[in-house]
Amino acid sequence: MVSYKLLTPEDVYFSGGSGSVEEPLEEPVEEKPANSPLLEKKTVCSASTSFIALGAFLLVVCVVWVIGTVFWLRSPSGQFPHRPPSPASGSASASTVVSAPSREGLACSGVPENWRFDCYPEKVVVTRELCEARNCCFIQVSSGKKPIKDGVPWCFYPPNFPTYWLDALNDTDLGFTAQLKKSEKTYYPKDVETIQLDVLYETDSRLRVKITDPSYPRFEVPISVPNATQKASSPLYTVEFSKKPFGLIVKRTSTGTVIINTTVAPVFYADQFLQLSTSLPTRYVYGLGEHRSTFLHDIEWNTLTMWARDVAPMEKTNLYGVHPFYLGMEQGGSAHGVFLLNSNAMDVVLQPAPAITWRTIGGILDIYIFLGPDPSSVIQQYLQVVGSPAMPPYWALGYHLCRWGYNSSDNTWEMVRTMRKYGIPQDVQWNDIDYMDRSMDFTMDPQNFATLPEMVKDLHSHGQKYVMILDPGISSTQQPGTYWPYDDGLKRGIFINDSSGQTLIGKVWPGLTAFPDFSSQETHRWWYDNLQRFHDKVQFDGLWIDMNEPSNFLDGSLKGCPSNDLENPPYTPGVLGGSLRAKTLCASALQKTSVHYNMHSLYGLLEAKASSSALKMILGKRPFVISRSTFPSQGLYSGHWLGDNRSQWTDLYTSISGMLTFNILGIPLIGADICGFGGTTTEEMCVRWTQLGAFYPFTRNHNSINEKAQDPSAFSPSARTAMQEALLLRYSLFPLLYTLFHHAHLEGHTVARPLLFEFPNDEKTYSIDRQFLWGRSLLVTPVLDPGVSYVVGYFPKALWYDFFTGNSLRSQGETVKLQAPLDKINVHLREGAVIPTQRPNTTLWVSSGQPLHLICSLTDEGTAAGDLFWDDGETIDTYETDQYAYIVFHVAKNVMTSQVLHDNVEATFITVETVSFYGVKEEPSNVTVNSQDVPFTYKGNQVLTVTDLGLNLSQNFTISWA
């Protein structure tokens, strides 16, 4: 890569595990007037002197090369600082490393296209005059054409663009601190001339870098993060510093891989413009939600804007949530992660160097770097910072059914009865806003939904649950004394105010509305009070919080927004609508914690936190909340669905990447609207989507008003049966899914898992998002295209078994064509697993009491292992309070053992009825259970099955064969 300054021995500080620092040599600094608003204009790449300059340049290069060669030959290699990798061509390997040319000798034309960092990111057509006013290089990439939104920038930073230099690096208890100074102001107003750098060695695998303004407090995201008290003793990373210009280089100690290198472009730190660029060691980047895209991000000049927005999912658009975290896969299978803890509007730019630019318009630069070294460890380390997901109630993992437009409680109730009639599994019935009186929260339509309380009681009597929608907008137009939520909210001062201190009024479904300020604890109490009052009428079991970006049908407010720097910042990221207030609140609106400019993308998180807390108090059980808008740490309080998708095959496919992305973002309770929300589905699409949706961690069929019904009962008998079988398959796998959620809660694991997590050394898995795993062993290969009776799947090197038959498939890393008639989804087991399944029924309340069937997929050596977490399914913190059972299973040398590591009364209600062993190479002569001979079956596909066992789950047992 091209650095805008080549690092020299005098300019670099090395710091390793020992924490030693080499004192740098002092360098003279040319002073500039402190109040100079812009850089002096300089001539850039003058064409009139090009021939003379070229000759002089070649002469200088030759002299420098000769001197450098002599120096290199006479110097020990260990004294050389890090040199950034050179820009690789499009076909070159990302691991290619070459020395970069010096900063002083590099002309604008010498900066390769892939390494040009945009000096004019504003959404305008950049001219030479505009560019050179910023003292940047201008090269028109395609003659006669306008610069495209995402392409090689025409205006980019020259090698000598002024930035901060590092002054006085000092040791601290946790790492290092330093001041970064600059003498020349840049082109954004309120440039901060002295900023503070803190480098914190928080753990051996986690490095934190904070860049703050020491003279002025700035907004910091108010979520709880760990506070390290002791410096890491054996870090997996090495940190180096460039003095002038300032640069931070973070390497993986074991391989020397450069994880972070900020010397590639200048650092900006102005009041409303913060920018940091760094090289990437890889082209394989994941995360950075919420955007609709493939699971593997495109790095060909791809700008991902983050600012919570109500919009149907589409590519190249900021969507409902904000998650500035990425996972990167390195050559050799190692992985790392980077998290910018910042809630302000931002652009994240990926370019093919490869490199990334973080560009945000507020807050601070608070960066966490996670060293893994495997991808699962990276996610665990990330969740140690933002928090591991909560354990959901058991029924949350069942099948949910909803639509906007049931229009009455009787119609809703009839839907439930129809599902029961056909024996189709269903745990939860939902209602959209049509249950409300004039779309107002905490009300129900007194005519059309008069029987809603009775319907909910009927659900409960059948072991089913009820979830209702709530939007944050509270109707503000009712007569005083007629609508308690608004009257009480005004009295308690819980609404967001406009910049003049008056209640901000927007417009949503009920008309003109006020918006609760969930950054206030008083609002949390008001929310609880309203939920409790409504629960006294309708005994709901969970909450669906929608429109919480927050969404507004107006831009800003009924009165508009003032004209100031918050509403019209010097730089506006590429948000849909072109302004921060587009279809949301004024950026200058006042909240208790800060202005909405800082708090906007936190709204859904804070509402989820209030909702989770209220449900715990009202129900005394684990809360169930599904939120549309999300932010890091959301998994502590809610799950998420992928928003207002459409009944299209593309949406079916992209739901997998959305599901996988939110699993690595720490929100495993995730799914898409099965069969699509908008538009009209087809029978084939809905069958295929139900088969895939049966393997979403959160499974809900939901569609829009005025669309054709798409619940399973709405289709032909054959389609209905295919959907029923898919859902029964899900219910049979409940013990596995529940155990995976336990590991997500306890250890920060993913539930739905990309193949690359289990096969990080197989680069072919890095771009796979048409298949996925549950845990480490269950491979799902759904049909995602119309009119086909087969599907093509990739099987990494391993021994695989057909889940249903036990037929084996040995792969060396091959693509396989699988038969997939309309009534089948392909599921395979990886060797070495013990999978607990259960006889399914139409609700999880009934299913969870049924006997277990254990499936053991043996390796060639005859080994396998698995586990089971079991509790009552709804008590809060059962693991933390020892109210659970935990059993591990092992198979080796023709012996299976079950060992109860933690016992609980819940396990005494469950029996193990059947055990199947896939891959038993020879037919046994006898099988014993706890030393007693038992009957068995053995099939030619090497499947051994033992039935009618009646073994109590709470007692250890042994099964052996010979």
Side-chain angles (χ1 to χ4, degrees):
M1 123 197 17
V2 172
S3 167
Y4 71 101
K5 174 175 172 58
L6 175 67
L7 305 184
T8 63
E10 293 80 15
D11 291 338
V12 176
Y13 305 146
F14 293 93
S15 69
S18 64
S20 61
V21 181
E22 182 179 337
E23 185 66 25
L25 298 177
E26 291 296 323
E27 295 191 28
V29 177
E30 182 181 352
E31 295 295 333
K32 296 285 181 182
N35 59 356
S36 175
L38 295 174
L39 299 174
E40 297 175 8
K41 187 171 180 179
K42 304 173 185 176
T43 302
V44 183
C45 298
S46 173
S48 64
T49 60
S50 59
F51 290 104
I52 298 173
L54 178 62
F57 172 71
L58 292 174
L59 178 62
V60 170
V61 167
C62 290
V63 172
V64 170
W65 180 81
V66 171
I67 295 173
T69 302
V70 171
F71 180 82
W72 178 77
L73 290 173
R74 298 183 60 184
S75 301
S77 61
Q79 292 180 2
F80 269 76
H82 164 73
R83 296 189 178 199
S86 72
S89 63
S91 60
S93 166
S95 63
T96 305
V97 177
V98 216
S99 295
S102 71
R103 171 182 177 235
E104 292 78 6
L106 183 62
C108 291
S109 59
V111 181
E113 290 183 355
N114 288 353
W115 290 94
R116 295 177 182 175
F117 290 87
D118 197 350
C119 178
Y120 219 108
E122 289 84 353
K123 304 302 181 283
V124 298
V125 176
V126 182
T127 64
R128 180 179 296 276
E129 291 71 25
L130 287 173
C131 181
E132 292 184 355
R134 293 186 173 185
N135 292 325
C136 287
C137 298
F138 183 85
I139 297 179
Q140 190 169 326
V141 177
S142 301
S143 179
K145 296 182 179 179
K146 294 181 180 180
I148 60 175
K149 178 182 177 182
D150 293 317
V152 180
W154 291 9
C155 183
F156 55 95
Y157 299 110
N160 60 349
F161 192 91
T163 183
Y164 293 93
W165 74 87
L166 186 148
D167 183 52
L169 184 71
N170 296 306
D171 287 329
T172 66
D173 290 342
L174 289 176
F176 301 99
T177 189
Q179 285 194 334
L180 307 181
K181 296 183 177 181
K182 66 192 312 180
S183 55
E184 297 179 76
K185 285 187 174 294
T186 54
Y187 45 85
Y188 285 110
K190 300 181 182 178
D191 211 0
V192 184
E193 296 180 29
T194 299
I195 54 180
Q196 180 170 320
L197 170 73
D198 290 293
V199 179
L200 310 172
Y201 291 54
E202 293 199 333
T203 72
D204 287 346
S205 57
R206 184 177 80 230
L207 178 71
R208 186 179 187 184
V209 178
K210 290 186 72 172
I211 303 179
T212 56
D213 182 350
S215 62
Y216 184 77
R218 297 172 63 92
F219 178 78
E220 298 190 32
V221 178
I223 67 172
S224 177
V225 295
N227 290 316
T229 57
Q230 187 174 358
K231 183 179 178 181
S233 58
S234 303
L236 301 177
Y237 46 84
T238 302
V239 181
E240 301 170 10
F241 302 92
S242 164
K243 179 180 179 181
K244 185 178 182 182
F246 161 71
L248 176 76
I249 303 97
V250 180
K251 295 180 180 179
R252 185 180 298 281
T253 305
S254 61
T255 62
T257 299
V258 179
I259 305 299
I260 294 289
N261 180 356
T262 70
T263 67
V264 296
V267 175
F268 286 79
Y269 209 101
D271 183 45
Q272 290 181 276
F273 188 88
L274 293 80
Q275 180 170 286
L276 183 73
S277 300
T278 172
S279 64
L280 291 170
T282 176
R283 299 176 69 88
Y284 297 108
V285 176
Y286 313 85
L288 297 174
E290 179 174 12
H291 299 91
R292 188 167 105 155
S293 69
T294 53
F295 179 54
L296 171 64
H297 281 300
D298 178 11
I299 65 165
E300 295 295 322
W301 304 106
N302 184 11
T303 298
L304 301 168
T305 299
M306 297 189 185
W307 180 250
R309 179 61 150 86
D310 172 7
V311 59
M314 62 182 75
E315 287 75 7
K316 300 289 185 180
T317 302
N318 52 302
L319 300 182
Y320 311 106
V322 167
H323 295 270
F325 165 83
Y326 73 80
L327 170 77
M329 291 298 299
E330 303 161 29
Q331 189 177 45
S334 293
H336 66 275
V338 176
F339 172 43
L340 172 61
L341 181 53
N342 184 291
S343 62
N344 289 92
M346 71 175 75
D347 285 333
V348 183
V349 184
L350 296 168
Q351 64 189 73
I356 187 171
T357 296
W358 303 93
R359 185 185 299 137
T360 184
I361 61 171
I364 66 170
L365 296 176
D366 189 358
I367 300 169
Y368 290 86
I369 304 160
F370 310 101
L371 272 291
D374 59 273
S376 292
S377 297
V378 171
I379 303 309
Q380 290 176 285
Q381 292 154 15
Y382 170 59
L383 295 184
Q384 286 168 5
V385 171
V386 302
S388 294
M391 188 69 182
Y394 76 95
W395 55 265
L397 306 185
Y399 181 61
H400 302 240
L401 190 57
C402 182
R403 75 165 302 167
W404 179 20
Y406 285 124
N407 296 323
S408 73
S409 50
D410 287 344
N411 289 343
T412 311
W413 203 345
E414 184 58 33
M415 182 74 265
V416 174
R417 287 192 285 254
T418 302
M419 293 286 285
R420 293 174 189 162
K421 170 186 170 183
Y422 287 117
I424 301 171
Q426 182 190 3
D427 265 83
V428 194
Q429 181 61 51
W430 297 42
N431 275 124
D432 208 314
I433 59 172
D434 44 327
Y435 82 88
M436 299 177 183
D437 181 11
R438 292 165 290 166
S439 300
M440 295 189 298
D441 281 352
F442 309 113
T443 68
M444 62 181 181
D445 184 327
Q447 282 78 41
N448 295 324
F449 279 82
T451 60
L452 182 60
E454 287 71 27
M455 184 197 80
V456 173
K457 291 176 183 177
D458 178 71
L459 288 170
H460 291 167
S461 70
H462 286 82
Q464 296 172 300
K465 305 296 180 179
Y466 179 69
V467 170
M468 64 181 192
I469 195 171
L470 284 176
D471 295 337
I474 300 297
S475 177
S476 62
T477 60
Q478 311 310 310
Q479 289 295 321
T482 64
Y483 186 47
W484 192 82
Y486 181 69
D487 293 340
D488 187 57
L490 275 182
K491 185 189 307 180
R492 295 162 76 164
I494 61 90
F495 294 118
I496 294 175
N497 290 330
D498 60 25
S499 57
S500 66
Q502 302 300 308
T503 300
L504 184 146
I505 301 298
K507 184 178 182 181
V508 203
W509 298 115
L512 299 181
T513 57
F515 297 85
D517 176 9
F518 288 102
S519 73
S520 166
Q521 285 303 308
E522 183 61 27
T523 306
H524 287 220
R525 289 185 283 270
W526 168 87
W527 192 245
Y528 160 76
D529 290 341
N530 280 276
L531 286 169
Q532 179 65 73
R533 286 165 61 98
F534 192 72
H535 190 267
D536 291 342
K537 303 173 185 176
V538 179
Q539 295 181 357
F540 57 86
D541 301 285
L543 290 179
W544 171 19
I545 51 176
D546 191 17
M547 308 288 286
N548 56 351
E549 292 70 33
S551 178
N552 184 1
F553 296 166
L554 306 174
D555 288 347
S557 79
L558 184 64
K559 298 191 298 185
C561 302
S563 179
N564 56 34
D565 289 343
L566 293 178
E567 300 296 339
N568 305 294
Y571 174 78
T572 300
V575 299
L576 181 65
S579 71
L580 299 182
R581 62 183 173 273
K583 297 300 179 262
T584 190
L585 312 186
C586 296
S588 57
L590 303 177
Q591 298 187 231
K592 184 176 180 61
T593 298
S594 184
V595 289
H596 194 70
Y597 182 91
N598 295 322
M599 300 295 296
H600 170 80
S601 292
L602 295 166
Y603 196 89
L605 169 67
L606 297 176
E607 185 190 15
K609 185 175 181 179
S611 301
S612 174
S613 173
L615 286 178
K616 285 182 181 180
M617 291 188 287
I618 293 169
L619 303 175
K621 299 175 182 178
R622 289 178 211 165
F624 173 79
V625 181
I626 292 293
S627 175
R628 192 167 73 178
S629 187
T630 59
F631 192 82
S633 79
Q634 190 92 21
L636 288 165
Y637 313 109
S638 84
H640 174 59
W641 95 103
L642 295 171
D644 295 341
N645 62 0
R646 296 189 62 79
S647 298
Q648 298 175 349
W649 290 93
T650 298
D651 294 67
L652 169 61
Y653 157 60
T654 57
S655 71
I656 298 179
S657 58
M659 171 183 65
L660 295 178
T661 295
F662 272 92
N663 266 267
I664 71 173
L665 296 175
I667 308 175
L669 191 62
I670 175 69
D673 283 345
I674 294 171
C675 303
F677 172 73
T680 301
T681 190
T682 65
E683 181 166 287
E684 179 193 14
M685 181 191 298
C686 204
V687 169
R688 294 302 193 191
W689 211 324
T690 302
Q691 290 169 343
L692 169 60
F695 288 91
Y696 292 156
F698 165 59
T699 298
R700 183 185 70 164
N701 180 317
H702 174 50
N703 69 327
S704 183
I705 197 168
N706 298 325
E707 301 290 354
K708 290 177 61 176
Q710 62 185 36
D711 61 273
S713 70
F715 298 99
S716 69
S718 60
R720 186 170 64 237
T721 299
M723 295 184 199
Q724 178 189 42
E725 291 300 318
L727 295 174
L728 287 170
L729 172 60
R730 176 189 180 85
Y731 277 49
S732 73
L733 289 165
F734 170 72
L736 168 65
L737 183 59
Y738 195 66
T739 300
L740 291 175
F741 268 98
H742 163 69
H743 289 300
H745 168 63
L746 181 62
E747 298 155 334
H749 288 178
T750 51
V751 174
R753 188 169 302 174
L755 272 69
L756 68 89
F757 272 50
E758 292 299 322
F759 301 93
N761 294 314
D762 184 352
E763 198 168 310
K764 293 179 182 177
T765 65
Y766 288 11
S767 60
I768 290 177
D769 56 11
R770 298 177 70 89
Q771 296 170 276
F772 57 95
L773 295 158
W774 267 13
R776 66 176 303 274
S777 302
L778 194 77
L779 176 64
V780 183
T781 308
V783 173
L784 305 173
D785 301 297
V788 298
S789 59
Y790 66 90
V791 64
V792 175
Y794 179 72
F795 287 78
K797 184 178 181 180
L799 178 59
W800 299 88
Y801 297 92
D802 184 290
F803 175 81
F804 305 102
T805 66
N807 293 339
S808 61
L809 187 162
R810 188 180 301 277
S811 176
Q812 295 301 315
E814 300 160 17
T815 300
V816 180
K817 183 177 180 179
L818 305 166
Q819 293 303 308
L822 189 59
D823 61 352
K824 179 181 180 181
I825 183 170
N826 278 274
V827 183
H828 289 80
L829 288 179
R830 181 183 176 187
E831 62 180 315
V834 177
I835 301 294
T837 70
Q838 202 160 31
R839 186 190 303 163
N841 210 293
T842 54
T843 67
L844 286 178
W845 176 251
V846 178
S847 295
S848 62
Q850 299 299 301
L852 296 179
H853 174 205
L854 306 179
I855 304 175
C856 309
S857 55
L858 304 182
T859 65
D860 282 332
E861 293 74 29
T863 62
D867 62 347
L868 174 65
F869 176 85
W870 207 249
D871 61 14
D872 68 6
E874 57 186 11
T875 297
I876 299 170
D877 295 336
T878 57
Y879 177 81
E880 292 77 5
T881 56
D882 288 333
Q883 301 177 71
Y884 69 96
Y886 184 66
I887 300 97
V888 295
F889 309 104
H890 291 279
V891 184
K893 298 179 180 180
N894 298 351
V895 177
M896 177 186 188
T897 59
S898 168
Q899 185 178 7
V900 180
L901 298 186
H902 196 282
D903 197 13
N904 181 261
V905 66
E906 293 294 330
T908 64
F909 306 139
I910 307 299
T911 60
V912 176
E913 181 180 53
T914 308
V915 181
S916 293
F917 300 91
Y918 294 173
V920 177
K921 296 178 180 178
E922 297 180 1
E923 182 174 2
S925 58
N926 72 293
V927 175
T928 63
V929 176
N930 294 333
S931 302
Q932 300 293 316
D933 287 346
V934 296
F936 63 91
T937 61
Y938 181 82
K939 296 180 180 179
N941 61 350
Q942 300 185 340
V943 174
L944 169 65
T945 303
V946 188
T947 60
D948 300 323
L949 293 173
L951 298 169
N952 195 294
L953 185 62
S954 65
Q955 298 176 359
N956 297 342
F957 63 81
T958 300
I959 301 174
S960 61
W961 64 92

